[in-house]
Amino acid sequence: EMCIRDRNYTKGTKIMEEKIEKKEFHLKEEFIKQAQEISRGAELLPGGVKELAIKLQKSKESGKPIRVKLGMDPTRPDLHLGHTVVMKKLKKFQELGHTIVLLVGGATAMVGDPSGKSETRPALTKEQVEENAKTYFEQMSKVLDTSKAEVVNNADWLHKMNLIDLLKLASNVTVAQMMTRDDFAKRYAEGKPIAIHEFFYPLMQAYDSVAIDADIELGGTDQRFNVLLGREIQSAYGKPTPQMVMLLPLIEGTDGLVKMSKTYPEHCISLTDSAKDMYGKLMSIPDTLIIKYFSLLTDISDEELKNIEERLKTENPRDIKMQLAYTITNEYHSDEETKKAQDEFVNVVQNKGIPEDIETHVMKQETNILDLLMELGFVASKGEAKRLIAGGGIKLNNEKVSDIALMVSVPESPVVLQSGKRKFMRLTNG
């Protein structure tokens, strides 16, 4: 990984820095500020804010928009707040008049991205990719203008490559370079299998940057190897100034420990969540995440962010978290829905109340608590139900349930089943 990064600190970057030093190129303050705003919280490689500012200025002077790439392997149909970190950066580029290239991994998703994986990842079918991609764009439109983006599918060029093309592509990277990836190195050390086709995933993703002539590629920090390899492959295929790389931090879920992922639905905040659920989940994050969420998930200014940091030293974090929850929820829901979600949260959590409009479920027979939680849609799996019970998150008439083998009888009079702080159901006998 370091070999790729060092080798791709291009001559072009050094030449521009020398021109600035010799005052042959005047870098304007407005483009430095633009670069700083766009890259807040991100890591820019190889030349940092200065190189991005140069790209922005040269683009403006030449009238040629920067081509900003985001590759998406639609492995799951739903997007969550973690995905919006990179989407918000795309929006800023879009607002400045640059070209957003949304690349659907129709070919790469059928291989399966091994990044950060401890075992070979299952591939998707063509139909799964197409269906998930459609849902992706519908949800992405909540953050940026997808109608003005350039949408491409790497199946259009990767599926047309012949054996000679693939061998030419593969010849640009050594096995030693591939094995510098943490996930490959770890699996090899542990004696876990690494299929040959997995080496092709980063190569295919890198070639995408050649095919669409990307100037900047965005990705999470877990994509470091893949996006830096894009620079390597662009150079090998003759691009004089290979793409810059903008790496965005991964957002932890509501537990504050594990990155937000559909693998852990109880800690994941989806863009499809109701206003009530989104607000409630945001209020459940640990105080240590408040600044990170404000910085990466909202559009507040640096000045406002510093003000919040100062307020956290003296004010109750709960009040600042309510501002955060309202701000984010209001981005994806109407003012009315957001206000209602906040009012209900105050009633249920702060005032220890029970929502007025909870649904009723008629029980026909005695049911195991795990099965009941699944039946009501409170959890996605029995594993999630067990974790909630172990954490004291399930209550019957405000009494914590501790036994996963508990059989819930048909109640003689209505009882309230509660999951976490946001899900309620009134159980009756008819």
Side-chain angles (χ1 to χ4, degrees):
E1 188 172 320
M2 286 304 297
C3 290
I4 291 173
R5 184 188 304 177
D6 293 343
R7 192 154 69 235
N8 277 286
Y9 190 77
T10 62
K11 291 180 180 179
T13 303
K14 292 179 180 178
I15 289 170
M16 284 308 301
E17 288 182 349
E18 289 170 1
K19 284 186 176 182
I20 292 172
E21 289 175 9
K22 294 177 182 177
K23 297 186 179 179
E24 295 175 7
F25 178 84
H26 174 61
L27 182 57
K28 297 177 182 178
E29 185 66 26
E30 65 175 293
F31 297 104
I32 295 175
K33 288 182 178 178
Q34 282 183 12
Q36 289 172 335
E37 182 182 352
I38 293 173
S39 62
R40 185 175 77 183
E43 181 182 1
L44 288 171
L45 297 172
V49 169
K50 183 182 285 186
E51 183 172 352
L52 178 57
I54 291 170
K55 278 187 178 292
L56 292 168
Q57 183 169 327
K58 291 179 74 175
S59 169
K60 184 73 172 181
E61 292 173 351
S62 68
K64 183 182 178 182
I66 295 170
R67 293 179 62 77
V68 186
K69 169 192 173 187
L70 175 66
M72 302 170 295
D73 279 339
T75 51
R76 293 175 183 270
D78 288 342
L79 298 181
H80 52 65
L81 286 184
H83 292 112
T84 69
V85 176
V86 68
M87 287 157 56
K88 282 184 171 292
K89 300 298 184 186
L90 291 175
K91 181 182 179 182
K92 290 186 181 297
F93 278 111
Q94 196 173 52
E95 289 172 344
L96 291 170
H98 300 293
T99 303
I100 304 305
V101 185
L102 301 177
L103 189 146
V104 177
T108 40
M110 296 173 74
V111 174
D113 184 3
S115 298
K117 304 300 175 185
S118 59
E119 56 189 26
T120 301
R121 183 169 175 172
L124 298 185
T125 64
K126 182 174 181 289
E127 291 71 27
Q128 286 175 313
V129 170
E130 291 175 352
E131 185 59 34
N132 289 354
K134 179 182 176 183
T135 309
Y136 262 41
F137 290 125
E138 289 172 357
Q139 294 172 55
M140 286 185 79
S141 64
K142 296 181 179 183
V143 179
L144 52 88
D145 191 346
T146 55
S147 68
K148 293 181 179 178
E150 186 177 314
V151 179
V152 295
N153 189 324
N154 64 14
D156 291 342
W157 53 84
L158 291 176
H159 283 174
K160 295 175 183 176
M161 295 180 81
N162 59 35
L163 180 59
I164 301 300
D165 296 328
L166 288 173
L167 290 175
K168 178 185 175 183
L169 176 59
S171 70
N172 293 294
V173 183
T174 68
V175 172
Q177 280 179 303
M178 283 292 185
M179 293 307 295
T180 62
R181 278 181 45 147
D182 289 343
D183 42 24
F184 285 155
K186 185 177 180 182
R187 283 161 61 184
Y188 184 76
E190 293 175 352
K192 293 182 178 179
I194 302 171
I196 293 296
H197 80 277
E198 293 183 82
F199 283 171
F200 276 90
Y201 183 95
L203 280 168
M204 293 160 74
Q205 181 177 328
Y207 186 78
D208 290 342
S209 293
V210 175
I212 66 170
D213 193 25
D215 298 311
I216 300 175
E217 180 169 6
L218 276 60
T221 51
D222 60 340
Q223 291 292 313
R224 180 182 297 269
F225 182 93
N226 292 356
V227 294
L228 285 171
L229 186 59
R231 290 174 55 80
E232 182 94 347
I233 298 302
Q234 279 186 322
S235 293
Y237 280 77
K239 186 175 174 68
T241 307
Q243 67 185 22
M244 277 197 79
V245 168
M246 182 182 289
L247 296 171
L248 285 307
L250 304 178
I251 288 284
E252 293 84 2
T254 57
D255 65 340
L257 300 173
V258 181
K259 80 168 183 175
M260 194 174 292
S261 168
K262 283 292 180 181
T263 305
Y264 305 98
E266 65 268 37
H267 303 311
C268 187
I269 307 175
S270 298
L271 297 190
T272 53
D273 279 343
S274 66
K276 173 185 172 183
D277 284 346
M278 185 175 286
Y279 188 96
K281 288 178 180 179
L282 286 162
M283 287 302 298
S284 71
I285 67 170
D287 297 345
T288 52
L289 284 182
I290 292 176
I291 292 298
K292 188 171 187 178
Y293 271 45
F294 260 120
S295 175
L296 296 173
L297 299 178
T298 77
D299 295 321
I300 67 168
S301 65
D302 288 339
E303 186 178 344
E304 290 175 297
L305 190 62
K306 288 178 182 177
N307 181 46
I308 289 169
E309 289 175 338
E310 290 300 313
R311 287 172 56 197
L312 278 170
K313 295 176 182 178
T314 56
E315 294 183 30
N316 188 332
R318 181 201 62 202
D319 298 335
I320 298 173
K321 203 183 295 182
M322 287 181 71
Q323 178 186 339
L324 172 70
Y326 192 96
T327 300
I328 294 177
T329 303
N330 200 210
E331 282 197 39
Y332 307 99
H333 298 279
S334 68
D335 293 345
E336 182 182 356
E337 290 173 316
T338 306
K339 179 67 165 58
K340 183 179 179 182
Q342 186 175 67
D343 290 344
E344 187 163 310
F345 179 85
V346 171
N347 173 54
V348 174
V349 178
Q350 292 184 308
N351 300 335
K352 306 298 182 183
I354 293 176
E356 296 177 1
D357 58 348
I358 64 173
E359 296 180 31
T360 296
H361 175 76
V362 178
M363 292 190 65
K364 300 295 184 182
Q365 59 186 17
E366 187 178 50
T367 310
N368 175 266
I369 185 64
L370 301 181
D371 293 326
L372 182 57
L373 290 169
M374 286 280 290
E375 183 182 348
L376 298 176
F378 278 12
V379 295
S381 66
K382 288 189 177 181
E384 182 185 347
K386 290 176 182 178
R387 289 195 294 272
L388 280 171
I389 291 171
I394 303 297
K395 295 180 181 178
L396 267 174
N397 272 359
N398 214 32
E399 293 290 328
K400 287 184 181 180
V401 174
S402 58
D403 183 7
I404 61 173
L406 174 71
M407 298 300 294
V408 181
S409 304
V410 177
E412 294 182 6
S413 57
V415 298
V416 175
L417 176 65
Q418 179 179 349
S419 173
K421 297 178 180 178
R422 297 174 298 278
K423 295 179 181 178
F424 296 83
M425 186 69 71
R426 185 173 284 107
L427 306 177
T428 69
N429 58 13

